[in-house]
């Protein structure tokens, strides 16, 4: 059925309900958004080694990973998580070769952006930086949600009252509410992998540039209300 005729049918049913004094059900969406500064940093580092001796390259990778973990423990406000650790055979055109590849990953997260940016830079003597990204911390999201709910409630009440008045109803009643959240994050910064190198004596590691950006936190509500003559 064409949209125009569906619209006329809805209006006809609406006025018919009004004429008989019956409740009319309708549904609409309401949105609220807030742009906030990203206050949490995630850095993913990794180390890899290729060679013909699987045990040897695995031990080298684990040694570097352990060193990085121990150094990160000096920072109480930096969370750490070991990612994937694997040693796998290398494959060539004719199947498995005599070469092996060992990899390990370390993830660091903190709201102390200065400390984490410096630590990640220092760890490049044993690990490579794979990815740097910024986001809103869970605690900040929770605080922001209170403001979002308040704005959403105000927007809903305004729409519901406008709808009630526009069609000549006397009151409205909430039947159901459904919520969904959508966050629009800033793009992830991916770093080119490089082989770790020992720093020259007295050299000061260059901290990762801090451009944390912003995230738009959005909350949508789908509401069904009953309208009464």
């Amino acid at each position: 059925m064409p949209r125009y005729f569906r619209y006329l049918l809805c209006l006809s049913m609406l006025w018919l309900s009004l004429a008989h004094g019956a409740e009319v059900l309708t549904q609409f969406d309401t949105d609220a958004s807030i742009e906030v500064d990203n206050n949490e940093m995630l850095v993913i580092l990794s180390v890899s080694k290729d060679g013909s001796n699987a045990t040897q390259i695995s031990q080298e990778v684990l040694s570097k990973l352990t060193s990085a973990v121990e150094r990160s423990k000096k920072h109480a406000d930096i969370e750490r998580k070991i990612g994937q650790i694997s040693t796998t055979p290398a494959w060539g055109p004719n199947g498995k070769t005599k070469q092996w590849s060992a990899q390990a990953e370390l993830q660091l997260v903190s709201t102390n952006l200065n400390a984490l940016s410096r630590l990640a830079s220092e760890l490049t003597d044993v690990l490579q930086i794979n990815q740097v990204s910024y986001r809103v911390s869970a605690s900040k999201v929770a605080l922001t949600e209170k403001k979002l709910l308040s704005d959403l409630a105000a927007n809903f009440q305004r729409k519901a009252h406008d709808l009630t008045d526009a069609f000549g109803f006397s009151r409205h009643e909430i039947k159901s509410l459904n919520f969904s959240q959508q966050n629009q994050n800033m793009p992830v910064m991916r770093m080119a992998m490089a082989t770790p190198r020992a720093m020259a004596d007295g050299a000061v590691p260059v901290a990762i540039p801090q451009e944390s950006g912003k995230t738009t936190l959005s909350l949508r509500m789908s509401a069904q209300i009953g309208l009464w003559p």
Side-chain angles (χ1 to χ4, degrees), residues 34-144:
I34 299 178
E35 188 178 62
V36 297
D37 293 325
N38 292 319
N39 68 324
E40 188 169 78
M41 183 179 188
L42 165 66
V43 180
I44 300 178
L45 306 102
S46 68
V47 57
S48 61
K49 181 73 175 180
D50 298 329
S52 58
N53 190 318
T55 300
Q56 180 180 349
I57 62 174
S58 296
Q59 290 301 309
E60 289 184 27
V61 164
L62 290 174
S63 176
K64 291 182 178 181
L65 177 64
T66 301
S67 172
V69 169
E70 291 302 317
R71 289 160 64 180
S72 69
K73 289 181 179 179
K74 298 177 182 179
H75 302 267
D77 53 357
I78 296 179
E79 299 179 16
R80 59 202 161 274
K81 176 184 176 182
I82 294 178
Q84 182 179 4
I85 300 176
S86 65
T87 301
T88 56
W91 295 82
N94 298 320
K96 186 168 66 174
T97 69
K98 295 181 179 180
Q99 295 294 306
W100 293 80
S101 179
Q103 300 91 23
E105 184 181 88
L106 176 63
Q107 300 177 16
L108 301 175
V109 179
S110 181
T111 55
N112 188 338
L113 305 187
N114 289 327
L116 180 50
S117 62
R118 290 195 302 269
L119 174 63
S121 179
E122 293 170 0
L123 293 178
T124 56
D125 61 346
V126 290
L127 304 179
Q128 304 102 29
I129 297 176
N130 282 8
Q131 177 181 313
V132 177
S133 59
Y134 297 89
R135 61 195 183 190
V136 183
S137 66
S139 59
K140 190 172 183 179
V141 169
L143 292 175
T144 306

